[in-house]
């Protein structure tokens, strides 16, 4: 039985070599379709998974003070007010905002040991002193003295002492980490004031229930965002940009339809050969097995190469194209390190999407030919 199976595979491979150009073109088409479809699905899954993981390490609630003019700094008493609410276990004032750098807008944040630990191991980075800065890899400076000048409420020049590692590009690509005094000066904050308040909740699932009581604890209007709000915001943002990638599926589906039509056309064109095989004693089962084996020898390697190419595009060593195409970077896009989770179900899904119509076309045309009279097939093939 095993010898017959090997013989069938060898015969199928031999027949494929009689038309190398057509079969290579078909394999290339299937592989390209697999790459296009899998890349979009993997990228969407990777961005969602990575963002959810990052948000899970952040605060449960974020409190911002708002006025008629928009955002306003939060005072030094905000921490004590928030901790009076039962269920709030941690309150950390944060200082951050957007200022101008020589190359354009950048995000600044005040550094402390807790902030350092969120972006990089503390043994690799140390909090900058006054007049110093740690910058992301997307921020360039041409000064040989490694001085970066930032423009906010006032102008501050800082000396760059370190850069973040490329593994943190998703969070730190355009980030400048400063001493709190420098950050407050750039943002125009009074001593003790902060940009917002990051809160930890004893039961994160119950964070929504604390919102009314928390809002009443402050003598001024505040906006309170939950982790779930942030998740929805980023999911919508990635969805809008990723929707452009869905345009690839329209030509991909059309290509799949044309590919199936080409397979049926090729099978119909082989009527004389099938008739000859039947005249030589091949059974219908042998003919169907031969055609299916040929389809698998073309389709499975092509799909495997396409899936591998898609995996490399999303998780490989060079992923800057994601920033250019989806995240809106004009130049110097971040090198994204995305979490490679849930790839196997996507691989199985794409394999089924491509292999099912491919095999269905081969099987249907093979069954029609196998059930036909050999003489009729020979006459039609001439």
């Amino acid at each position: 039985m095993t010898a017959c199976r090997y013989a069938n595979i060898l015969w199928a491979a031999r027949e494929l070599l009689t038309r190398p150009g057509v079969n290579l073109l078909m394999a290339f088409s299937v592989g390209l379709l697999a790459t296009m479809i899998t890349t979009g699905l993997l990228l969407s899954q990777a961005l969602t998974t990575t963002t959810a993981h990052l948000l899970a390490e952040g605060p449960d609630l974020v409190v911002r003070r708002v006025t008629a003019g928009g955002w306003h700094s939060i005072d030094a008493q905000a921490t004590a007010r928030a901790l009076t609410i039962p269920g709030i276990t941690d309150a950390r004032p944060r200082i951050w905002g957007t200022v101008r750098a020589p190359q354009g807008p950048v995000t600044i944040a005040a550094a402390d040991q807790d902030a350092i630990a969120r972006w990089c191991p503390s043994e690799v980075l140390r909090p900058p002193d006054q007049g110093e800065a740690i910058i992301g890899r997307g921020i360039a400076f041409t000064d040989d003295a490694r001085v970066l000048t930032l423009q906010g409420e006032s102008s501050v020049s800082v000396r760059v002492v370190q850069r973040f590692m490329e593994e943190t590009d998703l969070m730190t690509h355009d980030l400048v980490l400063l001493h709190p005094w420098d950050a407050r000066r750039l943002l125009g904050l009074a001593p003790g004031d902060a940009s917002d308040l990051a809160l930890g909740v004893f039961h994160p699932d119950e964070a929504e229930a604390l919102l009314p009581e928390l809002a009443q604890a402050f003598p001024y209007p505040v906006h309170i965002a939950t982790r779930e709000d942030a998740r929805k915001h980023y999911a919508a943002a990635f969805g809008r940009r990723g929707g452009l990638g869905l345009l690839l599926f329209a030509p991909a589906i059309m290509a799949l339809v044309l590919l199936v039509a080409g397979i049926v056309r090729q099978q119909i064109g082989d009527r004389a050969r099938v008739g000859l095989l039947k005249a030589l004693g091949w059974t219908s089962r042998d003919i169907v097995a031969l055609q299916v084996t040929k389809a698998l020898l073309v389709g499975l390697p092509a799909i495997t190469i396409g899936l591998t190419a898609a995996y490399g595009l999303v998780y490989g060593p060079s992923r800057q194209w994601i920033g250019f195409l989806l995240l809106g970077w004009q130049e110097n896009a971040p090198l994204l390190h995305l979490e490679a989770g849930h790839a196997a179900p996507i691989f199985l899904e794409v394999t089924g999407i491509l292999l099912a119509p491919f095999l269905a076309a081969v099987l249907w045309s093979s069954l029609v030919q196998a059930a036909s009279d050999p003489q009729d097939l020979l006459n039609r093939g001439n």
Side-chain angles (χ1 to χ4, degrees):
M1 186 71 175
T2 304
C4 292
R5 191 173 301 162
Y6 286 144
N8 191 35
I9 294 175
L10 290 175
W11 189 284
R14 212 174 133 198
E15 287 213 344
L16 289 175
L17 291 177
T18 61
R19 293 182 175 178
V22 173
N23 291 311
L24 282 175
L25 182 59
M26 188 174 297
F28 176 77
S29 301
V30 173
L32 186 59
L33 283 173
T35 301
M36 291 169 60
I37 297 174
T38 308
T39 299
L41 295 175
L42 277 182
L43 181 57
S44 175
Q45 181 65 52
L47 286 172
T48 302
T49 302
T50 305
T51 303
H53 177 75
L54 294 175
L55 290 175
E57 295 181 355
D60 299 305
L61 298 170
V62 175
V63 179
R64 296 183 179 89
R65 182 179 176 182
V66 292
T67 63
W71 170 86
H72 194 281
S73 61
I74 204 163
D75 56 47
Q77 290 74 37
T79 301
R81 295 190 185 102
L83 291 175
T84 61
I85 306 300
I88 302 295
T89 58
D90 179 50
R92 185 170 61 90
R94 302 189 303 183
I95 304 170
W96 67 278
T98 302
V99 298
R100 293 188 305 278
Q103 69 182 53
V106 297
T107 300
I108 65 167
D112 54 35
Q113 202 61 49
D114 290 338
I116 290 287
R118 283 176 170 80
W119 291 313
C120 196
S122 56
E123 61 269 16
V124 177
L125 297 179
R126 64 168 180 81
D129 294 329
Q130 188 173 332
E132 295 181 341
I134 302 173
I135 65 174
R137 296 190 324 112
I139 300 173
F141 54 88
T142 58
D143 195 326
D144 293 336
R146 300 175 65 89
V147 173
L148 180 66
T149 300
L150 302 172
Q151 297 286 341
E153 292 295 322
S154 60
S155 178
V156 174
S157 295
V158 291
R159 184 172 61 88
V160 177
V161 293
Q162 280 181 295
R163 281 189 185 271
F164 289 104
M165 299 183 300
E166 69 175 28
E167 288 80 3
T168 65
D169 260 9
L170 187 62
M171 300 177 292
T172 63
H173 188 66
D174 63 342
L175 178 68
V176 180
L177 207 58
L178 301 170
H179 187 273
W181 188 89
D182 292 325
R184 284 194 173 96
R185 184 179 169 192
L186 279 167
L187 298 174
L189 300 179
D193 284 4
S195 302
D196 58 28
L197 197 62
L199 305 180
V201 179
F202 185 73
H203 292 295
D205 295 337
E206 300 176 359
E208 293 269 359
L210 299 176
L211 298 187
E213 189 176 358
L214 187 59
Q216 294 177 3
F218 297 93
Y220 40 74
V222 294
H223 174 266
I224 307 173
T226 66
R227 182 185 287 121
E228 190 59 31
D229 293 334
R231 259 197 210 104
K232 292 177 181 177
H233 169 76
Y234 284 109
F238 290 143
R240 285 193 299 270
R241 296 182 182 273
L244 297 175
L246 294 178
L247 297 177
L248 294 175
F249 284 86
I253 293 172
M254 181 60 67
L256 183 59
V257 172
L258 294 176
L259 182 63
V260 171
I263 294 170
V264 175
R265 178 69 184 86
Q266 181 182 351
Q267 295 285 91
I268 293 174
D270 289 341
R271 282 181 296 214
R273 182 185 55 80
V274 174
L276 181 60
L277 291 176
K278 293 196 72 175
L280 292 175
W282 283 54
T283 65
S284 298
R285 178 179 178 181
D286 294 333
I287 292 173
V288 172
L290 175 66
Q291 302 288 37
V292 171
T293 303
K294 287 169 59 179
L296 291 176
L297 287 177
V298 172
L300 284 180
I303 292 175
T304 302
I305 293 173
L307 297 179
T308 304
Y311 190 91
L313 283 172
V314 177
Y315 301 114
S318 178
R319 296 165 298 279
Q320 288 184 301
W321 68 272
I322 300 172
F324 286 124
L325 293 182
L326 295 183
L327 303 182
W329 290 84
Q330 300 299 315
E331 58 183 14
N332 195 24
L335 184 63
L336 301 183
H337 286 256
L338 303 175
E339 295 187 12
H342 310 288
I346 292 176
F347 286 170
L348 293 175
E349 179 183 351
V350 173
T351 301
I353 289 173
L354 294 179
L355 207 55
F358 189 72
L359 288 178
V362 171
L363 189 60
W364 175 77
S365 55
S366 299
L367 288 173
V368 171
Q369 292 180 348
S372 302
D373 182 78
Q375 187 62 43
D376 185 47
L377 291 173
L378 288 171
N379 291 336
R380 291 187 181 182
N382 295 329

mmCIF file of all heavy atoms in Angstrom, residues 301-339:
data_model
loop_
_atom_site.group_PDB
_atom_site.id
_atom_site.type_symbol
_atom_site.label_atom_id
_atom_site.label_comp_id
_atom_site.label_asym_id
_atom_site.label_seq_id
_atom_site.Cartn_x
_atom_site.Cartn_y
_atom_site.Cartn_z
ATOM 1 N N PRO A 301 3.138 23.267 -0.769
ATOM 2 C CA PRO A 301 4.395 24.024 -0.651
ATOM 3 C C PRO A 301 4.200 25.524 -0.889
ATOM 4 O O PRO A 301 4.825 26.350 -0.213
ATOM 5 C CB PRO A 301 5.287 23.405 -1.729
ATOM 6 C CG PRO A 301 4.718 22.052 -1.982
ATOM 7 C CD PRO A 301 3.242 22.206 -1.783
ATOM 8 N N ALA A 302 3.342 25.880 -1.852
ATOM 9 C CA ALA A 302 3.116 27.297 -2.140
ATOM 10 C C ALA A 302 2.482 27.999 -0.945
ATOM 11 O O ALA A 302 2.887 29.114 -0.570
ATOM 12 C CB ALA A 302 2.222 27.443 -3.373
ATOM 13 N N ILE A 303 1.490 27.376 -0.332
ATOM 14 C CA ILE A 303 0.839 27.977 0.837
ATOM 15 C C ILE A 303 1.813 28.069 2.000
ATOM 16 O O ILE A 303 1.860 29.080 2.722
ATOM 17 C CB ILE A 303 -0.415 27.167 1.225
ATOM 18 C CG1 ILE A 303 -1.487 27.316 0.145
ATOM 19 C CG2 ILE A 303 -0.951 27.613 2.570
ATOM 20 C CD1 ILE A 303 -2.707 26.449 0.374
ATOM 21 N N THR A 304 2.628 27.029 2.197
ATOM 22 C CA THR A 304 3.615 27.049 3.284
ATOM 23 C C THR A 304 4.604 28.195 3.110
ATOM 24 O O THR A 304 4.925 28.918 4.064
ATOM 25 C CB THR A 304 4.369 25.709 3.333
ATOM 26 O OG1 THR A 304 3.433 24.638 3.522
ATOM 27 C CG2 THR A 304 5.379 25.699 4.464
ATOM 28 N N ILE A 305 5.098 28.377 1.890
ATOM 29 C CA ILE A 305 6.034 29.487 1.632
ATOM 30 C C ILE A 305 5.330 30.825 1.833
ATOM 31 O O ILE A 305 5.908 31.773 2.394
ATOM 32 C CB ILE A 305 6.597 29.373 0.203
ATOM 33 C CG1 ILE A 305 7.490 28.136 0.085
ATOM 34 C CG2 ILE A 305 7.389 30.621 -0.168
ATOM 35 C CD1 ILE A 305 7.949 27.841 -1.317
ATOM 36 N N GLY A 306 4.069 30.933 1.408
ATOM 37 C CA GLY A 306 3.323 32.175 1.596
ATOM 38 C C GLY A 306 3.106 32.499 3.065
ATOM 39 O O GLY A 306 3.256 33.653 3.488
ATOM 40 N N LEU A 307 2.771 31.487 3.881
ATOM 41 C CA LEU A 307 2.581 31.704 5.315
ATOM 42 C C LEU A 307 3.898 32.117 5.977
ATOM 43 O O LEU A 307 3.920 33.006 6.840
ATOM 44 C CB LEU A 307 2.048 30.426 5.968
ATOM 45 C CG LEU A 307 0.671 29.934 5.519
ATOM 46 C CD1 LEU A 307 0.304 28.658 6.252
ATOM 47 C CD2 LEU A 307 -0.405 30.988 5.739
ATOM 48 N N THR A 308 4.987 31.480 5.561
ATOM 49 C CA THR A 308 6.296 31.823 6.126
ATOM 50 C C THR A 308 6.678 33.255 5.775
ATOM 51 O O THR A 308 7.214 34.000 6.610
ATOM 52 C CB THR A 308 7.370 30.854 5.605
ATOM 53 O OG1 THR A 308 6.972 29.508 5.917
ATOM 54 C CG2 THR A 308 8.712 31.137 6.246
ATOM 55 N N ALA A 309 6.419 33.662 4.532
ATOM 56 C CA ALA A 309 6.724 35.033 4.117
ATOM 57 C C ALA A 309 5.912 36.039 4.921
ATOM 58 O O ALA A 309 6.428 37.082 5.346
ATOM 59 C CB ALA A 309 6.462 35.199 2.626
ATOM 60 N N ALA A 310 4.620 35.750 5.143
ATOM 61 C CA ALA A 310 3.774 36.652 5.929
ATOM 62 C C ALA A 310 4.267 36.755 7.366
ATOM 63 O O ALA A 310 4.313 37.845 7.949
ATOM 64 C CB ALA A 310 2.327 36.159 5.897
ATOM 65 N N TYR A 311 4.656 35.629 7.941
ATOM 66 C CA TYR A 311 5.178 35.632 9.310
ATOM 67 C C TYR A 311 6.437 36.490 9.395
ATOM 68 O O TYR A 311 6.634 37.265 10.339
ATOM 69 C CB TYR A 311 5.474 34.201 9.748
ATOM 70 C CG TYR A 311 5.780 34.057 11.222
ATOM 71 C CD1 TYR A 311 4.767 33.790 12.138
ATOM 72 C CD2 TYR A 311 7.084 34.188 11.706
ATOM 73 C CE1 TYR A 311 5.047 33.648 13.496
ATOM 74 C CE2 TYR A 311 7.368 34.064 13.050
ATOM 75 C CZ TYR A 311 6.336 33.796 13.935
ATOM 76 O OH TYR A 311 6.613 33.677 15.277
ATOM 77 N N GLY A 312 7.310 36.364 8.380
ATOM 78 C CA GLY A 312 8.521 37.164 8.371
ATOM 79 C C GLY A 312 8.250 38.651 8.216
ATOM 80 O O GLY A 312 8.927 39.482 8.822
ATOM 81 N N LEU A 313 7.234 39.004 7.411
ATOM 82 C CA LEU A 313 6.897 40.407 7.221
ATOM 83 C C LEU A 313 6.414 41.059 8.515
ATOM 84 O O LEU A 313 6.711 42.225 8.797
ATOM 85 C CB LEU A 313 5.821 40.549 6.146
ATOM 86 C CG LEU A 313 6.276 40.407 4.695
ATOM 87 C CD1 LEU A 313 5.071 40.378 3.769
ATOM 88 C CD2 LEU A 313 7.208 41.549 4.314
ATOM 89 N N VAL A 314 5.640 40.308 9.301
ATOM 90 C CA VAL A 314 5.046 40.879 10.523
ATOM 91 C C VAL A 314 5.981 40.759 11.717
ATOM 92 O O VAL A 314 6.123 41.702 12.503
ATOM 93 C CB VAL A 314 3.694 40.193 10.822
ATOM 94 C CG1 VAL A 314 3.101 40.726 12.133
ATOM 95 C CG2 VAL A 314 2.718 40.427 9.682
ATOM 96 N N TYR A 315 6.630 39.599 11.868
ATOM 97 C CA TYR A 315 7.436 39.363 13.061
ATOM 98 C C TYR A 315 8.934 39.303 12.790
ATOM 99 O O TYR A 315 9.714 39.086 13.714
ATOM 100 C CB TYR A 315 7.027 38.033 13.710
ATOM 101 C CG TYR A 315 5.590 37.975 14.121
ATOM 102 C CD1 TYR A 315 4.703 37.095 13.510
ATOM 103 C CD2 TYR A 315 5.097 38.808 15.118
ATOM 104 C CE1 TYR A 315 3.372 37.039 13.884
ATOM 105 C CE2 TYR A 315 3.765 38.753 15.499
ATOM 106 C CZ TYR A 315 2.913 37.865 14.879
ATOM 107 O OH TYR A 315 1.598 37.806 15.253
ATOM 108 N N GLY A 316 9.351 39.474 11.552
ATOM 109 C CA GLY A 316 10.757 39.345 11.198
ATOM 110 C C GLY A 316 11.596 40.517 11.669
ATOM 111 O O GLY A 316 11.117 41.428 12.361
ATOM 112 N N PRO A 317 12.888 40.537 11.294
ATOM 113 C CA PRO A 317 13.803 41.565 11.815
ATOM 114 C C PRO A 317 13.550 42.975 11.282
ATOM 115 O O PRO A 317 14.023 43.931 11.859
ATOM 116 C CB PRO A 317 15.186 41.061 11.362
ATOM 117 C CG PRO A 317 14.896 40.174 10.193
ATOM 118 C CD PRO A 317 13.560 39.555 10.449
ATOM 119 N N SER A 318 12.834 43.120 10.184
ATOM 120 C CA SER A 318 12.585 44.463 9.637
ATOM 121 C C SER A 318 11.089 44.684 9.508
ATOM 122 O O SER A 318 10.436 44.153 8.617
ATOM 123 C CB SER A 318 13.259 44.618 8.267
ATOM 124 O OG SER A 318 12.990 45.889 7.731
ATOM 125 N N ARG A 319 10.538 45.475 10.422
ATOM 126 C CA ARG A 319 9.093 45.684 10.431
ATOM 127 C C ARG A 319 8.732 47.165 10.344
ATOM 128 O O ARG A 319 7.706 47.580 10.837
ATOM 129 C CB ARG A 319 8.485 45.074 11.699
ATOM 130 C CG ARG A 319 8.657 43.574 11.757
ATOM 131 C CD ARG A 319 8.385 43.048 13.131
ATOM 132 N NE ARG A 319 9.303 43.595 14.116
ATOM 133 C CZ ARG A 319 10.531 43.140 14.322
ATOM 134 N NH1 ARG A 319 10.988 42.161 13.613
ATOM 135 N NH2 ARG A 319 11.308 43.676 15.231
ATOM 136 N N GLN A 320 9.601 47.961 9.746
ATOM 137 C CA GLN A 320 9.327 49.387 9.652
ATOM 138 C C GLN A 320 8.209 49.698 8.666
ATOM 139 O O GLN A 320 7.593 50.761 8.750
ATOM 140 C CB GLN A 320 10.599 50.136 9.254
ATOM 141 C CG GLN A 320 11.632 50.192 10.380
ATOM 142 C CD GLN A 320 12.831 51.018 10.003
ATOM 143 O OE1 GLN A 320 13.505 50.732 9.034
ATOM 144 N NE2 GLN A 320 13.104 52.058 10.772
ATOM 145 N N TRP A 321 7.925 48.788 7.734
ATOM 146 C CA TRP A 321 6.864 49.038 6.753
ATOM 147 C C TRP A 321 5.510 49.214 7.430
ATOM 148 O O TRP A 321 4.645 49.910 6.913
ATOM 149 C CB TRP A 321 6.813 47.893 5.742
ATOM 150 C CG TRP A 321 6.349 46.591 6.316
ATOM 151 C CD1 TRP A 321 7.098 45.629 6.905
ATOM 152 C CD2 TRP A 321 4.993 46.119 6.373
ATOM 153 N NE1 TRP A 321 6.318 44.579 7.324
ATOM 154 C CE2 TRP A 321 5.012 44.855 7.012
ATOM 155 C CE3 TRP A 321 3.768 46.641 5.943
ATOM 156 C CZ2 TRP A 321 3.872 44.113 7.233
ATOM 157 C CZ3 TRP A 321 2.620 45.885 6.174
ATOM 158 C CH2 TRP A 321 2.683 44.642 6.806
ATOM 159 N N ILE A 322 5.330 48.604 8.597
ATOM 160 C CA ILE A 322 4.059 48.739 9.318
ATOM 161 C C ILE A 322 3.843 50.201 9.723
ATOM 162 O O ILE A 322 2.754 50.753 9.586
ATOM 163 C CB ILE A 322 4.047 47.827 10.558
ATOM 164 C CG1 ILE A 322 4.226 46.357 10.138
ATOM 165 C CG2 ILE A 322 2.746 48.008 11.334
ATOM 166 C CD1 ILE A 322 4.407 45.420 11.302
ATOM 167 N N GLY A 323 4.902 50.836 10.224
ATOM 168 C CA GLY A 323 4.792 52.242 10.609
ATOM 169 C C GLY A 323 4.527 53.147 9.426
ATOM 170 O O GLY A 323 3.754 54.094 9.516
ATOM 171 N N PHE A 324 5.166 52.851 8.288
ATOM 172 C CA PHE A 324 4.967 53.677 7.094
ATOM 173 C C PHE A 324 3.548 53.543 6.558
ATOM 174 O O PHE A 324 2.880 54.529 6.238
ATOM 175 C CB PHE A 324 5.970 53.284 6.008
ATOM 176 C CG PHE A 324 7.374 53.740 6.276
ATOM 177 C CD1 PHE A 324 8.413 52.835 6.316
ATOM 178 C CD2 PHE A 324 7.661 55.081 6.496
ATOM 179 C CE1 PHE A 324 9.713 53.250 6.562
ATOM 180 C CE2 PHE A 324 8.953 55.504 6.750
ATOM 181 C CZ PHE A 324 9.984 54.581 6.786
ATOM 182 N N LEU A 325 3.052 52.309 6.430
ATOM 183 C CA LEU A 325 1.778 52.068 5.762
ATOM 184 C C LEU A 325 0.571 52.278 6.665
ATOM 185 O O LEU A 325 -0.466 52.768 6.226
ATOM 186 C CB LEU A 325 1.745 50.643 5.195
ATOM 187 C CG LEU A 325 2.719 50.350 4.040
ATOM 188 C CD1 LEU A 325 2.527 48.932 3.550
ATOM 189 C CD2 LEU A 325 2.526 51.332 2.902
ATOM 190 N N LEU A 326 0.677 51.869 7.938
ATOM 191 C CA LEU A 326 -0.506 51.859 8.801
ATOM 192 C C LEU A 326 -0.498 52.919 9.891
ATOM 193 O O LEU A 326 -1.560 53.382 10.306
ATOM 194 C CB LEU A 326 -0.665 50.478 9.452
ATOM 195 C CG LEU A 326 -0.951 49.318 8.499
ATOM 196 C CD1 LEU A 326 -1.162 48.039 9.299
ATOM 197 C CD2 LEU A 326 -2.182 49.608 7.656
ATOM 198 N N LEU A 327 0.670 53.285 10.385
ATOM 199 C CA LEU A 327 0.725 54.188 11.538
ATOM 200 C C LEU A 327 1.021 55.627 11.165
ATOM 201 O O LEU A 327 1.164 56.483 12.032
ATOM 202 C CB LEU A 327 1.762 53.687 12.553
ATOM 203 C CG LEU A 327 1.523 52.248 13.062
ATOM 204 C CD1 LEU A 327 2.582 51.876 14.083
ATOM 205 C CD2 LEU A 327 0.135 52.107 13.643
ATOM 206 N N GLY A 328 1.172 55.911 9.858
ATOM 207 C CA GLY A 328 1.273 57.289 9.411
ATOM 208 C C GLY A 328 2.637 57.934 9.515
ATOM 209 O O GLY A 328 2.740 59.157 9.380
ATOM 210 N N TRP A 329 3.708 57.171 9.754
ATOM 211 C CA TRP A 329 5.031 57.765 9.835
ATOM 212 C C TRP A 329 5.499 58.149 8.436
ATOM 213 O O TRP A 329 5.428 57.371 7.503
ATOM 214 C CB TRP A 329 6.018 56.781 10.455
ATOM 215 C CG TRP A 329 5.778 56.558 11.906
ATOM 216 C CD1 TRP A 329 4.896 55.685 12.467
ATOM 217 C CD2 TRP A 329 6.395 57.237 12.995
ATOM 218 N NE1 TRP A 329 4.929 55.765 13.824
ATOM 219 C CE2 TRP A 329 5.851 56.706 14.184
ATOM 220 C CE3 TRP A 329 7.361 58.228 13.074
ATOM 221 C CZ2 TRP A 329 6.237 57.160 15.429
ATOM 222 C CZ3 TRP A 329 7.765 58.661 14.326
ATOM 223 C CH2 TRP A 329 7.204 58.131 15.487
ATOM 224 N N GLN A 330 6.045 59.352 8.314
ATOM 225 C CA GLN A 330 6.554 59.818 7.040
ATOM 226 C C GLN A 330 7.993 59.359 6.807
ATOM 227 O O GLN A 330 8.409 59.106 5.689
ATOM 228 C CB GLN A 330 6.482 61.351 6.965
ATOM 229 C CG GLN A 330 5.072 61.894 7.100
ATOM 230 C CD GLN A 330 4.147 61.395 6.005
ATOM 231 O OE1 GLN A 330 4.504 61.376 4.842
ATOM 232 N NE2 GLN A 330 2.946 60.987 6.382
ATOM 233 N N GLU A 331 8.769 59.292 7.861
ATOM 234 C CA GLU A 331 10.155 58.826 7.764
ATOM 235 C C GLU A 331 10.567 58.279 9.111
ATOM 236 O O GLU A 331 9.946 58.526 10.139
ATOM 237 C CB GLU A 331 11.082 59.976 7.364
ATOM 238 C CG GLU A 331 11.033 61.150 8.312
ATOM 239 C CD GLU A 331 11.898 62.313 7.848
ATOM 240 O OE1 GLU A 331 12.311 62.308 6.670
ATOM 241 O OE2 GLU A 331 12.149 63.200 8.660
ATOM 242 N N ASN A 332 11.616 57.477 9.112
ATOM 243 C CA ASN A 332 12.175 56.950 10.357
ATOM 244 C C ASN A 332 11.108 56.254 11.201
ATOM 245 O O ASN A 332 10.936 56.542 12.385
ATOM 246 C CB ASN A 332 12.824 58.080 11.162
ATOM 247 C CG ASN A 332 13.713 57.554 12.262
ATOM 248 O OD1 ASN A 332 14.200 56.433 12.182
ATOM 249 N ND2 ASN A 332 13.904 58.347 13.299
ATOM 250 N N ALA A 333 10.386 55.338 10.590
ATOM 251 C CA ALA A 333 9.315 54.624 11.295
ATOM 252 C C ALA A 333 9.895 53.711 12.376
ATOM 253 O O ALA A 333 11.031 53.250 12.266
ATOM 254 C CB ALA A 333 8.497 53.797 10.302
ATOM 255 N N PRO A 334 9.115 53.443 13.435
ATOM 256 C CA PRO A 334 9.623 52.587 14.512
ATOM 257 C C PRO A 334 9.789 51.144 14.048
ATOM 258 O O PRO A 334 9.064 50.654 13.191
ATOM 259 C CB PRO A 334 8.534 52.696 15.595
ATOM 260 C CG PRO A 334 7.303 53.086 14.859
ATOM 261 C CD PRO A 334 7.759 53.939 13.716
ATOM 262 N N LEU A 335 10.766 50.471 14.649
ATOM 263 C CA LEU A 335 10.972 49.050 14.414
ATOM 264 C C LEU A 335 10.136 48.308 15.443
ATOM 265 O O LEU A 335 10.495 48.229 16.612
ATOM 266 C CB LEU A 335 12.452 48.707 14.551
ATOM 267 C CG LEU A 335 12.866 47.273 14.236
ATOM 268 C CD1 LEU A 335 12.570 46.959 12.773
ATOM 269 C CD2 LEU A 335 14.345 47.075 14.523
ATOM 270 N N LEU A 336 9.002 47.777 15.020
ATOM 271 C CA LEU A 336 8.035 47.221 15.960
ATOM 272 C C LEU A 336 8.392 45.795 16.352
ATOM 273 O O LEU A 336 8.700 44.962 15.499
ATOM 274 C CB LEU A 336 6.633 47.241 15.338
ATOM 275 C CG LEU A 336 6.110 48.616 14.921
ATOM 276 C CD1 LEU A 336 4.700 48.492 14.395
ATOM 277 C CD2 LEU A 336 6.150 49.593 16.084
ATOM 278 N N HIS A 337 8.340 45.540 17.637
ATOM 279 C CA HIS A 337 8.491 44.179 18.157
ATOM 280 C C HIS A 337 7.111 43.754 18.654
ATOM 281 O O HIS A 337 6.672 44.147 19.729
ATOM 282 C CB HIS A 337 9.518 44.139 19.290
ATOM 283 C CG HIS A 337 10.933 44.264 18.819
ATOM 284 N ND1 HIS A 337 11.798 43.204 18.743
ATOM 285 C CD2 HIS A 337 11.622 45.332 18.354
ATOM 286 C CE1 HIS A 337 12.971 43.604 18.267
ATOM 287 N NE2 HIS A 337 12.883 44.902 18.035
ATOM 288 N N LEU A 338 6.423 42.964 17.849
ATOM 289 C CA LEU A 338 5.053 42.564 18.153
ATOM 290 C C LEU A 338 5.027 41.154 18.727
ATOM 291 O O LEU A 338 5.880 40.324 18.407
ATOM 292 C CB LEU A 338 4.191 42.628 16.885
ATOM 293 C CG LEU A 338 4.149 43.997 16.190
ATOM 294 C CD1 LEU A 338 3.375 43.905 14.897
ATOM 295 C CD2 LEU A 338 3.538 45.037 17.105
ATOM 296 N N GLU A 339 4.043 40.900 19.564
ATOM 297 C CA GLU A 339 3.926 39.588 20.187
ATOM 298 C C GLU A 339 3.362 38.588 19.185
ATOM 299 O O GLU A 339 2.303 38.803 18.598
ATOM 300 C CB GLU A 339 3.026 39.677 21.422
ATOM 301 C CG GLU A 339 3.625 40.551 22.514
ATOM 302 C CD GLU A 339 2.809 40.488 23.792
ATOM 303 O OE1 GLU A 339 1.931 39.608 23.886
ATOM 304 O OE2 GLU A 339 3.043 41.322 24.668
#
